[in-house]
């Protein structure tokens, strides 16, 4: 089964794998595409910890990584809790950490997960299937105001008010249950605004906004990145790959804040940013893997202030 093609894999390896006997944490294991290359590079001296909130991803990656299983730990969990999860495993300091944000191709293309408007699925969009709130709940229960704020904030959708208004009108006639019902509502709103020709499908932004809301993606990101830097060892590296501007903005500003001299003096540690500008995939990679086209990578290295004990 094709699960996912890892993005900017060689750059990730070059940046975060700094020593063979290090401990590496992949916070977004997915199909294990980055993880398998990391473990190949460090096996058997090093150790890899893989984390994902999606049990299907873990099952697939477990199979894929089984030749290295004595040096691999896989955990089902949210990277929001990464510090706690590491403590439970007994690890305090990590050599390299990867966040490859968003969805895997497997999730996006799955006929049952409801992330894509290309197929007619139940409106779900939960990455963690044990959670209760799904996209169907949001669409059918949030107030009109909450919906338009959501579409504006997380989708940067210019017709958010009209779309929210039509959703509330339509759901009075009957529950909006499927991805194609929602996609049609959005497409009709665009058509009414005489936007019949589009570069990206009109429902893209609304679907992005719902996905972010259902999985609480942006609220947890800043804190998770800060915790990740906290658990890095000296000169340990963090690498973040994002696929839309809202995520990239959080990655950029969080690293910038952690790199400020005041932060370093106050907390005893911070980061040195290694990617002054975001790092992009090559043209060849984008040609071969369309998903890579929106990727941006940022990398930083942990530094301590003078005279601080480095644990
Ligand atoms: C882009 S995919 C990673 C693909 C992987 N790097 C590969 O090459 O196969 C992102 C993965 O991160 C997971 N994920 C997203 N947010 C998460 C979170 N807050 N905690 C844990 N896993 C998360 C998703 O379930 C998905 O499997």
């Amino acid at each position: 089964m094709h699960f996912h093609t890892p993005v900017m894999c060689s750059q990730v390896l070059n940046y975060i794998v700094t020593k063979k006997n290090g401990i590496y944490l992949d916070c977004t294991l997915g199909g294990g595409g980055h993880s398998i290359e990391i473990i190949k590079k460090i096996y058997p001296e090093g150790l890899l910890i893989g984390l994902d909130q999606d049990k299907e991803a873990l099952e697939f990656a477990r199979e894929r990584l089984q030749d290295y299983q004595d040096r691999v730990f896989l955990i089902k969990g949210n990277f929001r809790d990464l510090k706690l999860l590491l403590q439970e495993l007994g690890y305090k300091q990590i050599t390299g950490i990867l966040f490859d944000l968003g969805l895997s191709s497997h999730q996006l293309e799955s006929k049952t997960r409801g992330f894509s408007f290309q197929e007619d699925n139940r409106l779900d969009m939960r990455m963690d299937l044990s959670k209760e709130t799904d996209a169907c709940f949001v669409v059918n229960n949030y107030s009109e105001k909450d919906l338009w704020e959501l579409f504006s904030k997380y989708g940067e959708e210019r017709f958010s008010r009209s779309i929210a208004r039509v959703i509330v009108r339509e759901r009075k006639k009957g529950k909006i249950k499927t991805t194609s019902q929602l996609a049609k509502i959005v497409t009709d709103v665009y058509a009414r605004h005489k936007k019949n020709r589009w570069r990206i499908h009109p429902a893209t932004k609304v679907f992005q906004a719902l996905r972010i809301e259902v999985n609480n993606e942006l609220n947890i990101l800043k804190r998770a990145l800060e915790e990740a830097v906290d658990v890095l060892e000296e000169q340990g590296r963090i690498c973040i790959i994002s696929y839309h501007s809202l995520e990239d903005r959080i990655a950029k500003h969080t690293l910038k804040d952690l790199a400020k001299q005041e932060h370093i003096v106050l907390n005893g540690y911070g980061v040195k940013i290694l990617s002054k500008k975001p790092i992009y995939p090559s043209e060849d990679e984008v040609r071969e893997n369309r998903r890579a086209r929106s990727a941006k990578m940022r990398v930083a290295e942990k530094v301590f202030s003078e005279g601080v004990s480095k644990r």
Side-chain angles (χ1 to χ4, degrees):
M1 187 209 325
H2 174 258
F3 203 95
H4 184 85
T5 306
V7 171
M8 288 194 266
C9 202
S10 60
Q11 292 94 321
V12 168
L13 292 181
N14 286 340
Y15 272 111
I16 69 167
V17 183
T18 49
K19 60 185 193 198
K20 220 171 146 63
N21 62 351
I23 303 176
Y24 295 89
L25 171 63
D26 182 348
C27 290
T28 48
L29 181 69
H34 288 107
S35 273
I36 193 144
E37 299 306 325
I38 296 174
I39 191 71
K40 276 185 194 162
K41 225 175 151 176
I42 61 172
Y43 190 83
E45 294 90 334
L47 188 87
L48 173 85
I49 304 169
L51 177 66
D52 206 295
Q53 59 179 329
D54 183 343
K55 72 174 176 29
E56 287 179 10
L58 282 158
E59 279 160 18
F60 183 85
R62 182 159 284 121
E63 282 269 318
R64 189 167 186 194
L65 295 163
Q66 67 177 344
D67 289 351
Y68 307 94
Q69 57 180 310
D70 54 322
R71 304 300 293 158
V72 172
F73 283 108
L74 299 185
I75 324 168
K76 178 176 181 298
N78 193 303
F79 60 59
R80 176 190 57 210
D81 308 316
L82 75 90
K83 206 167 160 184
L84 195 74
L85 293 165
L86 285 176
Q87 266 167 16
E88 281 170 6
L89 279 181
Y91 294 104
K92 284 206 181 117
Q93 290 209 295
I94 302 292
T95 315
I97 301 190
L98 169 65
F99 289 84
D100 178 22
L101 298 168
L103 295 175
S104 65
S105 309
H106 176 74
Q107 288 166 324
L108 195 61
E109 288 154 18
S110 162
K111 302 223 182 304
T112 56
R113 305 290 294 268
F115 286 111
S116 165
F117 42 80
Q118 312 290 357
E119 304 267 350
D120 192 17
N121 296 155
R122 206 187 89 75
L123 268 174
D124 189 331
M125 304 196 192
R126 287 168 302 161
M127 289 192 208
D128 181 347
L129 292 169
S130 66
K131 293 276 176 279
E132 267 182 24
T133 303
D134 60 9
C136 189
F137 177 86
V138 174
V139 166
N140 289 285
N141 292 280
Y142 277 28
S143 69
E144 184 175 327
K145 179 167 175 287
D146 285 349
L147 283 174
W148 71 253
E149 278 180 1
L150 173 64
F151 300 148
S152 310
K153 189 166 151 207
Y154 292 159
E156 300 181 315
E157 168 55 66
R158 59 184 163 152
F159 300 132
S160 57
R161 270 176 199 253
S162 312
I163 295 167
R165 195 178 319 121
V166 179
I167 287 176
V168 170
R169 193 182 70 209
E170 289 300 309
R171 75 188 187 195
K172 285 189 186 136
K173 298 180 198 159
K175 203 166 173 180
I176 301 165
K177 290 187 190 151
T178 65
T179 50
S180 58
Q181 275 176 288
L182 181 61
K184 179 164 183 328
I185 289 174
V186 181
T187 315
D188 288 350
V189 170
Y190 267 67
R192 228 169 303 132
H193 284 89
K194 311 239 176 309
K195 300 280 177 221
N196 286 316
R197 299 177 66 184
W198 53 73
R199 202 169 49 81
I200 56 164
H201 191 288
T204 308
K205 292 177 174 179
V206 164
F207 273 61
Q208 171 184 301
L210 281 169
R211 197 197 89 195
I212 291 173
E213 175 71 6
V214 167
N215 298 289
N216 197 17
E217 288 175 42
L218 296 183
N219 290 336
I220 62 171
L221 186 55
K222 180 174 165 57
R223 181 87 200 106
L225 297 179
E226 288 166 351
E227 282 206 352
V229 170
D230 187 15
V231 300
L232 277 178
E233 63 189 31
E234 191 185 15
Q235 291 187 325
R237 291 178 173 184
I238 178 169
C239 169
I240 308 144
I241 307 176
S242 60
Y243 297 88
H244 58 77
S245 56
L246 298 169
E247 273 172 353
D248 180 58
R249 225 174 282 153
I250 295 176
K252 175 176 158 184
H253 290 298
T254 307
L255 292 184
K256 265 194 171 168
D257 289 345
L258 289 165
K260 283 187 182 142
Q261 201 50 33
E262 305 95 87
H263 174 93
I264 298 176
V265 170
L266 198 66
N267 295 278
Y269 72 86
V271 298
K272 181 171 97 189
I273 295 174
L274 302 182
S275 51
K276 294 285 175 239
K277 295 239 163 70
I279 300 159
Y280 294 97
S282 68
E283 282 177 18
D284 282 351
E285 179 170 0
V286 174
R287 214 171 298 121
E288 277 163 32
N289 178 13
R290 259 181 61 76
R291 202 192 134 73
R293 71 192 186 285
S294 47
K296 278 187 194 173
M297 181 166 119
R298 298 189 183 267
V299 195
E301 181 174 286
K302 183 153 177 181
V303 292
F304 283 89
S305 68
E306 295 285 309
V308 167
S309 139
K310 288 156 191 174
R311 282 186 285 177

